[in-house]
Amino acid sequence: MAKKAEIPTIPGADITAFRKKNGLNQADFWSPLGITQSGGSRYESGRKIPKPVMALVVLRMGTKPQKRATLRALDIAPLIVDAVNDVAGDVQGEA
């Protein structure tokens, strides 16, 4: 039996470095993920990041292989493709 794909993990220090490199404060980075600034601060300081939150972090800032692994682990890649295709025409029409 094939091993189930795992969601990659990104250490809090790497999240902080990414956030600062991109000129984002904690609220700017964490708020779109549904996380408060104080919660994000705890994660960046080393508190364990729950898998659903880590999946969002990886999708926001991970490498292409990390994002691919996350989508495989969540088994949602086809759903994302469908969602993008559903809205692609709407987005193009806004231009």
Coordinates of all heavy atoms in Angstrom, one line a residue:
M1 N 0.8 -1.2 0.0 CA 0.0 0.0 0.0 C 0.9 1.2 0.0 O 1.9 1.3 0.7 CB -0.9 0.0 1.2 CG -1.8 1.2 1.3 SD -2.9 1.2 2.8 CE -4.3 0.3 2.1
A2 N 0.5 2.2 -0.8 CA 1.3 3.5 -0.9 C 1.2 4.3 0.4 O 0.1 4.3 1.0 CB 0.8 4.3 -2.1
K3 N 2.3 4.9 0.7 CA 2.3 5.8 1.9 C 1.4 7.0 1.6 O 1.5 7.6 0.6 CB 3.7 6.1 2.3 CG 3.8 7.0 3.5 CD 5.3 7.3 3.8 CE 5.4 8.3 4.9 NZ 6.7 8.8 5.1
K4 N 0.6 7.4 2.6 CA -0.2 8.6 2.4 C 0.7 9.8 2.4 O 1.6 9.9 3.2 CB -1.2 8.7 3.5 CG -2.1 10.0 3.4 CD -3.4 9.8 4.1 CE -4.2 11.1 4.2 NZ -4.3 12.0 3.0
A5 N 0.4 10.7 1.5 CA 1.2 12.0 1.4 C 1.0 12.8 2.6 O -0.1 12.8 3.2 CB 0.8 12.8 0.1
E6 N 2.1 13.4 3.0 CA 2.0 14.3 4.2 C 2.1 15.8 3.8 O 2.7 16.1 2.8 CB 3.3 14.0 5.1 CG 3.3 12.6 5.7 CD 2.4 12.4 6.9 OE1 2.2 13.4 7.6 OE2 1.9 11.3 7.1
I7 N 1.5 16.6 4.6 CA 1.6 18.0 4.4 C 3.0 18.5 4.9 O 3.4 18.2 6.0 CB 0.5 18.8 5.2 CG1 -0.9 18.4 4.7 CG2 0.7 20.3 5.2 CD1 -2.0 18.9 5.6
P8 N 3.8 19.1 4.0 CA 5.1 19.6 4.4 C 5.0 20.6 5.6 O 3.9 21.2 5.7 CB 5.7 20.2 3.2 CG 4.8 19.8 2.1 CD 3.5 19.4 2.6
T9 N 6.0 20.7 6.4 CA 6.0 21.7 7.4 C 7.0 22.8 7.1 O 8.1 22.5 6.6 CB 6.3 21.1 8.8 OG1 7.6 20.4 8.7 CG2 5.3 20.0 9.2
I10 N 6.7 24.0 7.5 CA 7.6 25.1 7.4 C 7.8 25.7 8.8 O 6.8 26.0 9.4 CB 6.9 26.2 6.4 CG1 6.7 25.6 5.0 CG2 7.8 27.4 6.4 CD1 6.0 26.5 4.0
P11 N 9.0 25.8 9.2 CA 9.3 26.3 10.5 C 8.9 27.7 10.7 O 8.9 28.5 9.7 CB 10.8 26.1 10.7 CG 11.3 25.2 9.6 CD 10.2 25.4 8.5
G12 N 8.5 28.1 11.9 CA 8.1 29.5 12.2 C 9.1 30.5 11.8 O 8.8 31.6 11.3
A13 N 10.4 30.2 12.0 CA 11.5 31.1 11.6 C 11.5 31.4 10.1 O 11.7 32.5 9.6 CB 12.8 30.6 12.1
D14 N 11.2 30.4 9.3 CA 11.1 30.5 7.9 C 9.9 31.4 7.5 O 9.9 32.2 6.5 CB 11.0 29.2 7.2 CG 12.3 28.4 7.2 OD1 13.3 28.9 7.8 OD2 12.3 27.2 6.8
I15 N 8.8 31.2 8.2 CA 7.6 32.0 8.0 C 7.9 33.5 8.2 O 7.6 34.4 7.4 CB 6.4 31.5 8.8 CG1 6.0 30.1 8.4 CG2 5.2 32.5 8.7 CD1 5.0 29.4 9.3
T16 N 8.6 33.7 9.4 CA 9.0 35.1 9.7 C 9.9 35.7 8.6 O 9.7 36.8 8.2 CB 9.7 35.1 11.1 OG1 8.8 34.6 12.1 CG2 10.1 36.5 11.5
A17 N 10.9 34.9 8.2 CA 11.8 35.4 7.2 C 11.0 35.8 5.9 O 11.3 36.8 5.3 CB 12.9 34.4 6.9
F18 N 10.1 34.9 5.5 CA 9.3 35.1 4.3 C 8.5 36.4 4.4 O 8.5 37.2 3.5 CB 8.4 33.9 4.0 CG 7.4 34.1 2.9 CD1 7.8 33.8 1.6 CD2 6.2 34.6 3.1 CE1 6.9 34.0 0.5 CE2 5.3 34.8 2.1 CZ 5.6 34.5 0.8
R19 N 7.8 36.5 5.5 CA 7.0 37.6 5.8 C 7.7 38.9 5.7 O 7.3 39.9 5.0 CB 6.3 37.4 7.2 CG 5.3 38.4 7.5 CD 4.7 38.1 8.9 NE 5.5 38.0 10.0 CZ 6.2 39.0 10.6 NH1 6.1 40.2 10.1 NH2 7.0 38.7 11.6
K20 N 8.9 39.0 6.4 CA 9.7 40.2 6.4 C 10.3 40.5 5.0 O 10.3 41.7 4.6 CB 10.8 40.1 7.4 CG 10.2 40.1 8.9 CD 11.3 40.0 9.9 CE 10.7 40.2 11.3 NZ 11.7 40.1 12.3
K21 N 10.7 39.5 4.3 CA 11.3 39.6 3.0 C 10.3 40.3 2.0 O 10.6 41.0 1.1 CB 11.8 38.3 2.4 CG 12.3 38.4 1.0 CD 12.7 37.0 0.5 CE 13.1 37.0 -0.9 NZ 13.2 35.7 -1.5
N22 N 9.0 39.9 2.3 CA 7.9 40.4 1.4 C 7.2 41.7 2.0 O 6.2 42.1 1.5 CB 6.9 39.3 1.1 CG 7.5 38.3 0.2 OD1 7.6 38.5 -1.0 ND2 8.0 37.2 0.8
G23 N 7.8 42.3 3.0 CA 7.3 43.5 3.6 C 5.9 43.4 4.2 O 5.2 44.3 4.2
L24 N 5.6 42.2 4.8 CA 4.4 42.0 5.4 C 4.5 42.0 7.0 O 5.4 41.4 7.5 CB 3.8 40.6 5.0 CG 3.5 40.4 3.5 CD1 3.2 39.0 3.2 CD2 2.4 41.3 3.0
N25 N 3.6 42.7 7.6 CA 3.6 42.5 9.1 C 2.8 41.3 9.4 O 2.2 40.6 8.5 CB 3.0 43.8 9.8 CG 1.6 44.1 9.4 OD1 0.8 43.2 9.2 ND2 1.2 45.4 9.4
Q26 N 2.7 40.9 10.7 CA 2.0 39.7 11.0 C 0.6 39.7 10.6 O 0.1 38.7 10.1 CB 2.2 39.4 12.5 CG 3.6 38.9 12.9 CD 3.8 38.7 14.3 OE1 3.2 39.4 15.2 NE2 4.7 37.8 14.7
A27 N -0.1 40.8 10.8 CA -1.5 40.8 10.5 C -1.7 40.7 9.0 O -2.6 39.9 8.6 CB -2.2 42.1 11.0
D28 N -0.9 41.3 8.2 CA -1.0 41.2 6.7 C -0.8 39.8 6.3 O -1.4 39.3 5.3 CB 0.1 42.1 6.0 CG -0.2 43.6 6.2 OD1 -1.4 43.9 6.5 OD2 0.8 44.3 6.1
F29 N 0.1 39.0 6.9 CA 0.4 37.7 6.5 C -0.7 36.7 6.9 O -1.2 35.9 6.2 CB 1.8 37.2 7.0 CG 2.1 35.8 6.6 CD1 2.6 35.5 5.3 CD2 1.8 34.7 7.4 CE1 2.9 34.2 4.9 CE2 2.0 33.4 7.0 CZ 2.6 33.1 5.8
W30 N -1.0 36.8 8.2 CA -1.9 35.8 8.8 C -3.4 36.0 8.6 O -4.2 35.1 8.5 CB -1.6 35.7 10.3 CG -0.2 35.1 10.6 CD1 0.9 35.7 10.9 CD2 0.1 33.7 10.5 NE1 1.9 34.8 11.0 CE2 1.5 33.6 10.8 CE3 -0.6 32.5 10.2 CZ2 2.2 32.4 10.8 CZ3 0.1 31.3 10.2 CH2 1.4 31.2 10.5
S31 N -3.8 37.2 8.5 CA -5.2 37.5 8.4 C -5.9 36.8 7.2 O -7.0 36.3 7.4 CB -5.5 39.0 8.4 OG -6.8 39.3 8.3
P32 N -5.3 36.8 6.0 CA -6.0 36.1 4.9 C -6.2 34.6 5.1 O -7.0 34.0 4.5 CB -5.1 36.4 3.7 CG -4.3 37.6 4.1 CD -4.2 37.6 5.6
L33 N -5.4 34.1 6.1 CA -5.5 32.7 6.4 C -6.5 32.4 7.6 O -6.7 31.3 8.0 CB -4.1 32.1 6.8 CG -3.0 32.3 5.8 CD1 -1.7 31.7 6.3 CD2 -3.3 31.7 4.5
G34 N -7.1 33.5 8.0 CA -8.1 33.3 9.1 C -7.4 33.2 10.5 O -8.1 32.8 11.4
I35 N -6.2 33.7 10.6 CA -5.5 33.6 11.9 C -5.2 35.0 12.4 O -4.9 35.9 11.6 CB -4.1 32.9 11.6 CG1 -4.3 31.5 11.0 CG2 -3.3 32.8 12.9 CD1 -5.1 30.5 11.8
T36 N -5.4 35.2 13.7 CA -5.2 36.5 14.2 C -3.7 36.8 14.3 O -2.8 35.9 14.2 CB -5.7 36.6 15.7 OG1 -5.0 35.7 16.5 CG2 -7.2 36.3 15.8
Q37 N -3.3 38.1 14.4 CA -1.9 38.5 14.6 C -1.3 37.8 15.7 O -0.2 37.3 15.6 CB -1.8 40.0 14.7 CG -0.4 40.5 14.9 CD 0.0 40.5 16.3 OE1 -0.7 40.7 17.2 NE2 1.3 40.2 16.6
S38 N -2.0 37.7 16.9 CA -1.4 37.1 18.1 C -1.2 35.6 17.9 O -0.2 35.0 18.3 CB -2.2 37.4 19.3 OG -3.5 36.9 19.2
G39 N -2.1 35.0 17.2 CA -2.0 33.5 16.9 C -0.8 33.3 16.0 O 0.0 32.4 16.2
G40 N -0.7 34.1 14.9 CA 0.5 34.0 14.0 C 1.8 34.2 14.7 O 2.8 33.5 14.5
S41 N 1.8 35.2 15.7 CA 3.0 35.4 16.4 C 3.4 34.2 17.2 O 4.6 33.8 17.3 CB 2.8 36.6 17.4 OG 3.9 36.8 18.2
R42 N 2.4 33.5 17.8 CA 2.7 32.3 18.6 C 3.3 31.2 17.6 O 4.3 30.5 18.0 CB 1.5 31.8 19.3 CG 1.1 32.7 20.5 CD 0.0 32.0 21.4 NE -1.3 31.9 20.7 CZ -2.2 32.9 20.7 NH1 -1.9 34.0 21.3 NH2 -3.3 32.8 20.0
Y43 N 2.7 31.1 16.5 CA 3.2 30.1 15.5 C 4.7 30.4 15.1 O 5.5 29.6 15.0 CB 2.3 30.0 14.3 CG 1.0 29.5 14.6 CD1 -0.1 29.9 13.8 CD2 0.7 28.5 15.6 CE1 -1.4 29.4 14.0 CE2 -0.6 28.0 15.8 CZ -1.6 28.5 15.0 OH -2.9 28.0 15.3
E44 N 4.9 31.7 14.8 CA 6.3 32.1 14.4 C 7.3 31.9 15.5 O 8.5 31.7 15.2 CB 6.2 33.6 13.9 CG 5.5 33.8 12.6 CD 5.6 35.2 12.1 OE1 6.5 36.0 12.5 OE2 4.6 35.6 11.4
S45 N 6.8 31.9 16.7 CA 7.7 31.8 17.9 C 7.9 30.3 18.3 O 8.6 30.0 19.2 CB 7.1 32.5 19.1 OG 7.1 33.9 18.9
G46 N 7.3 29.4 17.5 CA 7.6 28.0 17.8 C 6.4 27.1 18.2 O 6.6 25.9 18.3
R47 N 5.3 27.7 18.4 CA 4.1 26.9 18.8 C 3.8 26.0 17.6 O 3.9 26.4 16.5 CB 2.9 27.7 19.2 CG 1.7 26.8 19.6 CD 0.6 27.6 20.1 NE 0.9 28.0 21.5 CZ 0.1 28.7 22.3 NH1 -1.0 29.1 21.8 NH2 0.4 28.9 23.5
K48 N 3.4 24.8 17.9 CA 3.0 23.8 16.8 C 1.9 24.4 16.0 O 0.9 24.8 16.5 CB 2.6 22.5 17.5 CG 2.3 21.4 16.4 CD 2.1 20.1 17.1 CE 1.7 18.9 16.3 NZ 1.8 19.0 14.9
I49 N 2.0 24.3 14.7 CA 1.0 24.8 13.8 C 0.1 23.6 13.4 O 0.6 22.6 12.9 CB 1.7 25.4 12.5 CG1 2.6 26.6 12.9 CG2 0.6 25.9 11.5 CD1 3.4 27.2 11.8
P50 N -1.2 23.8 13.6 CA -2.1 22.7 13.3 C -2.0 22.4 11.8 O -1.8 23.3 10.9 CB -3.5 23.2 13.7 CG -3.2 24.3 14.6 CD -1.9 24.9 14.2
K51 N -2.3 21.1 11.4 CA -2.2 20.7 10.0 C -3.0 21.6 9.0 O -2.5 22.0 8.0 CB -2.5 19.3 9.8 CG -1.4 18.3 10.3 CD -1.8 16.9 10.0 CE -0.6 16.0 10.5 NZ -0.9 14.6 10.2
P52 N -4.3 21.9 9.4 CA -5.1 22.7 8.4 C -4.4 24.1 8.2 O -4.4 24.7 7.1 CB -6.4 22.9 9.1 CG -6.5 21.7 10.0 CD -5.1 21.5 10.5
V53 N -3.9 24.7 9.3 CA -3.2 26.0 9.2 C -1.9 25.9 8.4 O -1.6 26.7 7.5 CB -3.0 26.6 10.5 CG1 -2.2 27.9 10.4 CG2 -4.3 26.8 11.3
M54 N -1.2 24.8 8.6 CA 0.1 24.6 7.9 C -0.2 24.4 6.4 O 0.6 24.9 5.6 CB 0.8 23.3 8.5 CG 2.2 23.1 7.8 SD 3.3 24.5 7.8 CE 3.8 24.5 9.5
A55 N -1.3 23.7 6.1 CA -1.6 23.5 4.7 C -1.8 24.9 4.0 O -1.3 25.2 2.9 CB -2.9 22.7 4.5
L56 N -2.5 25.8 4.7 CA -2.7 27.2 4.1 C -1.4 27.9 4.0 O -1.1 28.7 3.1 CB -3.7 27.9 5.0 CG -5.1 27.4 5.0 CD1 -6.0 28.2 6.1 CD2 -5.7 27.5 3.6
V57 N -0.5 27.8 5.0 CA 0.8 28.4 5.0 C 1.6 27.9 3.8 O 2.2 28.7 3.1 CB 1.6 28.2 6.3 CG1 3.0 28.7 6.2 CG2 0.9 29.0 7.5
V58 N 1.6 26.6 3.6 CA 2.4 26.1 2.5 C 1.8 26.6 1.2 O 2.6 26.9 0.3 CB 2.4 24.5 2.5 CG1 2.9 23.9 1.3 CG2 3.1 24.0 3.8
L59 N 0.5 26.6 1.1 CA -0.1 27.1 -0.2 C 0.2 28.6 -0.4 O 0.2 29.0 -1.6 CB -1.6 26.8 -0.2 CG -2.0 25.3 -0.3 CD1 -3.5 25.1 -0.2 CD2 -1.4 24.6 -1.5
R60 N 0.4 29.3 0.6 CA 0.7 30.7 0.5 C 2.1 31.0 0.2 O 2.4 31.9 -0.6 CB 0.3 31.5 1.8 CG 0.6 32.9 1.8 CD -0.4 33.8 2.3 NE -0.2 35.2 1.9 CZ -0.4 36.2 2.6 NH1 -0.8 36.1 3.9 NH2 -0.2 37.4 2.1
M61 N 3.0 30.3 0.8 CA 4.5 30.6 0.7 C 5.4 29.5 0.4 O 6.6 29.7 0.2 CB 4.9 31.3 2.0 CG 4.9 30.4 3.2 SD 5.8 31.0 4.6 CE 7.5 30.5 4.2
G62 N 4.9 28.3 0.2 CA 5.8 27.2 0.0 C 6.3 27.1 -1.4 O 5.9 27.9 -2.3
T63 N 7.3 26.2 -1.6 CA 7.8 26.0 -2.9 C 6.8 25.2 -3.7 O 5.9 24.6 -3.2 CB 9.1 25.2 -2.8 OG1 8.8 23.9 -2.3 CG2 10.2 25.8 -1.9
K64 N 7.0 25.1 -5.0 CA 6.1 24.4 -5.9 C 6.0 22.9 -5.5 O 4.9 22.4 -5.4 CB 6.6 24.5 -7.4 CG 5.6 23.9 -8.3 CD 6.1 24.1 -9.8 CE 5.3 25.2 -10.5 NZ 5.6 25.2 -11.9
P65 N 7.1 22.2 -5.2 CA 7.0 20.9 -4.7 C 6.2 20.7 -3.4 O 5.5 19.8 -3.2 CB 8.5 20.4 -4.5 CG 9.3 21.3 -5.4 CD 8.6 22.6 -5.4
Q66 N 6.4 21.7 -2.5 CA 5.7 21.7 -1.2 C 4.2 21.9 -1.4 O 3.4 21.2 -0.8 CB 6.2 22.8 -0.2 CG 7.6 22.5 0.3 CD 8.1 23.7 1.1 OE1 7.9 24.9 0.7 NE2 8.8 23.4 2.2
K67 N 3.9 22.8 -2.3 CA 2.4 23.0 -2.7 C 1.8 21.8 -3.3 O 0.7 21.4 -3.0 CB 2.3 24.2 -3.6 CG 2.6 25.6 -2.9 CD 2.6 26.7 -3.9 CE 3.0 28.0 -3.2 NZ 3.0 29.1 -4.2
R68 N 2.6 21.2 -4.2 CA 2.1 20.0 -4.9 C 1.9 18.8 -3.8 O 0.8 18.2 -3.9 CB 3.2 19.5 -5.9 CG 2.7 18.5 -6.9 CD 3.7 18.2 -8.0 NE 3.8 19.4 -8.9 CZ 4.9 19.9 -9.3 NH1 6.1 19.5 -8.9 NH2 4.9 20.9 -10.2
A69 N 2.8 18.7 -2.9 CA 2.7 17.6 -1.9 C 1.5 17.9 -1.0 O 0.7 17.0 -0.6 CB 3.9 17.6 -1.0
T70 N 1.2 19.2 -0.7 CA 0.1 19.6 0.2 C -1.2 19.2 -0.5 O -2.1 18.7 0.0 CB 0.1 21.1 0.5 OG1 1.3 21.3 1.3 CG2 -1.1 21.5 1.3
L71 N -1.3 19.6 -1.8 CA -2.6 19.3 -2.6 C -2.8 17.8 -2.7 O -3.9 17.3 -2.6 CB -2.5 19.9 -3.9 CG -2.5 21.5 -4.0 CD1 -2.4 22.0 -5.4 CD2 -3.8 22.0 -3.3
R72 N -1.7 17.0 -2.8 CA -1.8 15.6 -2.8 C -2.3 15.1 -1.5 O -3.2 14.2 -1.4 CB -0.5 14.9 -3.2 CG -0.3 15.0 -4.7 CD 0.9 14.1 -5.1 NE 1.2 14.3 -6.5 CZ 2.3 14.9 -7.0 NH1 3.3 15.2 -6.2 NH2 2.5 15.0 -8.3
A73 N -1.7 15.6 -0.4 CA -2.1 15.1 0.9 C -3.5 15.4 1.2 O -4.2 14.6 1.9 CB -1.1 15.8 2.0
L74 N -4.0 16.5 0.8 CA -5.4 16.9 1.0 C -6.3 16.3 0.0 O -7.5 16.4 0.2 CB -5.5 18.5 1.0 CG -4.7 19.2 2.1 CD1 -4.8 20.7 1.8 CD2 -5.2 18.9 3.5
D75 N -5.8 15.7 -1.0 CA -6.6 15.1 -2.1 C -7.6 16.1 -2.7 O -8.8 15.7 -2.9 CB -7.2 13.8 -1.6 CG -7.7 12.9 -2.7 OD1 -7.2 13.0 -3.8 OD2 -8.7 12.2 -2.5
I76 N -7.2 17.3 -2.9 CA -8.1 18.4 -3.4 C -7.6 19.0 -4.7 O -8.3 19.9 -5.2 CB -8.4 19.4 -2.4 CG1 -7.1 20.2 -2.0 CG2 -9.1 18.9 -1.2 CD1 -7.3 21.4 -1.2
A77 N -6.5 18.6 -5.3 CA -6.0 19.2 -6.5 C -7.1 19.3 -7.6 O -7.3 20.4 -8.2 CB -4.8 18.5 -7.0
P78 N -7.9 18.2 -7.9 CA -8.9 18.3 -8.9 C -10.0 19.4 -8.6 O -10.5 20.1 -9.4 CB -9.5 16.9 -9.0 CG -8.5 16.0 -8.4 CD -7.8 16.8 -7.4
L79 N -10.3 19.5 -7.3 CA -11.3 20.5 -6.9 C -10.8 21.9 -7.1 O -11.5 22.8 -7.5 CB -11.7 20.3 -5.4 CG -12.3 19.0 -5.0 CD1 -12.4 18.8 -3.5 CD2 -13.6 18.8 -5.7
I80 N -9.5 22.1 -6.9 CA -8.9 23.4 -7.1 C -8.9 23.8 -8.6 O -9.2 24.9 -8.9 CB -7.5 23.5 -6.5 CG1 -7.6 23.3 -5.0 CG2 -6.8 24.8 -6.9 CD1 -6.8 24.0 -4.1
V81 N -8.6 22.8 -9.4 CA -8.6 23.0 -10.8 C -10.0 23.4 -11.3 O -10.2 24.4 -12.0 CB -8.1 21.8 -11.6 CG1 -8.3 21.9 -13.1 CG2 -6.6 21.6 -11.3
D82 N -11.0 22.7 -10.8 CA -12.4 23.0 -11.1 C -12.8 24.4 -10.6 O -13.4 25.2 -11.4 CB -13.3 22.0 -10.5 CG -13.3 20.6 -11.2 OD1 -12.8 20.5 -12.3 OD2 -13.8 19.7 -10.5
A83 N -12.4 24.8 -9.4 CA -12.7 26.1 -8.9 C -12.1 27.2 -9.7 O -12.7 28.2 -10.0 CB -12.3 26.2 -7.4
V84 N -10.8 27.0 -10.1 CA -10.1 28.0 -10.9 C -10.8 28.1 -12.2 O -11.0 29.3 -12.7 CB -8.6 27.7 -11.0 CG1 -7.9 28.5 -12.1 CG2 -7.9 27.8 -9.7
N85 N -11.1 27.0 -12.9 CA -11.8 27.1 -14.2 C -13.1 27.8 -14.0 O -13.5 28.5 -15.0 CB -11.9 25.7 -14.8 CG -10.6 25.1 -15.2 OD1 -9.7 25.9 -15.6 ND2 -10.5 23.8 -15.2
D86 N -13.8 27.5 -12.9 CA -15.1 28.1 -12.7 C -15.1 29.7 -12.7 O -16.0 30.3 -13.2 CB -15.8 27.6 -11.5 CG -16.4 26.2 -11.6 OD1 -16.4 25.7 -12.7 OD2 -16.7 25.6 -10.5
V87 N -14.0 30.2 -12.1 CA -13.9 31.7 -12.0 C -13.0 32.3 -13.0 O -13.0 33.6 -13.0 CB -13.5 32.1 -10.5 CG1 -14.5 31.5 -9.5 CG2 -12.1 31.6 -10.2
A88 N -12.3 31.6 -13.8 CA -11.3 32.2 -14.7 C -12.0 33.2 -15.6 O -11.5 34.2 -15.9 CB -10.6 31.1 -15.5
G89 N -13.1 32.8 -16.2 CA -13.8 33.7 -17.1 C -14.3 35.0 -16.4 O -14.2 36.1 -17.0
D90 N -14.7 34.9 -15.1 CA -15.1 36.0 -14.4 C -13.9 37.0 -14.2 O -14.1 38.2 -14.3 CB -15.7 35.6 -13.0 CG -16.9 34.8 -13.1 OD1 -17.6 34.8 -14.2 OD2 -17.3 34.1 -12.1
V91 N -12.8 36.4 -13.8 CA -11.6 37.2 -13.6 C -11.1 37.9 -14.8 O -10.8 39.1 -14.9 CB -10.5 36.4 -12.9 CG1 -9.2 37.2 -12.8 CG2 -10.9 35.9 -11.6
Q92 N -11.1 37.2 -15.9 CA -10.7 37.8 -17.2 C -11.7 38.9 -17.6 O -11.3 39.9 -18.2 CB -10.6 36.7 -18.3 CG -9.5 35.7 -18.1 CD -9.5 34.6 -19.1 OE1 -10.4 34.4 -19.9 NE2 -8.5 33.8 -19.0
G93 N -12.9 38.7 -17.3 CA -13.9 39.7 -17.7 C -13.8 41.0 -16.9 O -14.2 42.1 -17.3
E94 N -13.1 41.0 -15.7 CA -12.9 42.2 -14.9 C -11.8 43.0 -15.5 O -11.7 44.2 -15.1 CB -12.5 41.7 -13.5 CG -13.6 41.1 -12.7 CD -13.2 40.6 -11.4 OE1 -12.1 40.8 -10.9 OE2 -14.0 39.9 -10.7
A95 N -10.9 42.5 -16.3 CA -9.7 43.3 -16.8 C -10.2 44.4 -17.7 O -11.2 44.5 -18.2 CB -8.8 42.3 -17.5

